Amino acid sequence: SKGDLLRAEQAYLRALAIQERTVGPEHRNVGVLANNLAVLYVSKGEYTRSATMAARALTVFEKASGPDHPSLRDPLMNLANAYCSYRRYADAEAAYERALRITENGLGPTNPATALVLNDFAGCLRARGDYARSHALFERALQIRQTAMGLAHPAVGRVLTQLAMTMEAEGLSTE
């Protein structure tokens, strides 16, 4: 409920203020809290605030780990998802592409974490009507999931559902 989200936001903001005072604004704990707030703000439909917090988390993690560390995936994904939610598609695509490159380089192109990036990126591409690219990314995510988890895993079913929705949208856009 919104009441729970409000209380969660208040607790995160209080924790953030404490961490900033005690360990400093560039400490990883601050980045983690900013990233958590980014997720919360998406849940509340507050995409601009989500993007602001995700960007802050990204800055903290970049300073702590460097520009290509796998720990940047989550804040990059949260930033991209926020951008996609309020139709800043070019910014979303840039963040997804960076998250994908970092994840593939750090964890490998067939790692399940790579499938997560592909799945969200494909969903954003579908939202903006780029069905061909969306379809290709969902297919790649599906292959990774099937190989890593087996053909009957629920995560495979979720990707198949997204792929089917994309195929349906592709068909509707050509009729």
Side-chain angles (χ1 to χ4, degrees), residues 4 8 17 23 26 33 44-45 48 56 66 74 78 81 89 94 100 106 120 124 140-141 146 153 174:
D4 293 336
V23 297
E26 295 180 1
L33 287 165
K44 291 178 71 178
T48 302
R56 182 171 181 197
D74 287 346
N78 290 331
N81 291 337
Y89 295 124
L100 184 58
D120 283 9
C124 186
R140 190 166 159 222
Q146 288 178 154
H153 193 279
T174 60

Side-chain angles (χ1 to χ4, degrees), residues 15-140:
L16 182 63
I18 290 168
Q19 291 294 321
E20 288 173 328
R21 278 194 314 272
T22 58
V23 297
E26 295 180 1
H27 192 276
R28 288 189 68 79
N29 292 354
V30 171
V32 169
L33 287 165
N35 200 51
N36 290 349
L37 276 162
V39 172
L40 177 99
Y41 288 137
V42 166
S43 298
K44 291 178 71 178
E46 297 179 18
Y47 305 117
T48 302
R49 291 178 81 185
S50 176
T52 299
M53 282 296 158
R56 182 171 181 197
L58 181 60
T59 298
V60 168
F61 289 130
E62 283 175 326
K63 286 181 181 178
S65 304
D68 296 316
H69 193 272
S71 67
L72 301 181
R73 185 198 75 199
D74 287 346
L76 277 166
M77 292 293 294
N78 290 331
L79 184 60
N81 291 337
Y83 285 153
C84 187
S85 293
Y86 65 97
R87 296 178 177 84
R88 284 181 53 183
Y89 295 124
D91 293 326
E93 187 166 340
Y96 285 125
E97 286 175 348
R98 183 173 175 208
L100 184 58
R101 180 182 47 80
I102 287 170
T103 305
E104 288 177 324
N105 289 341
L107 302 175
T110 60
N111 187 289
T114 299
L116 290 172
V117 178
L118 290 166
N119 194 75
D120 283 9
F121 192 0
C124 186
L125 290 170
R126 184 181 61 219
R128 79 170 198 201
D130 190 344
Y131 303 122
R133 287 180 60 209
S134 174
H135 187 141
L137 293 184
F138 277 130
E139 288 278 6
R140 190 166 159 222

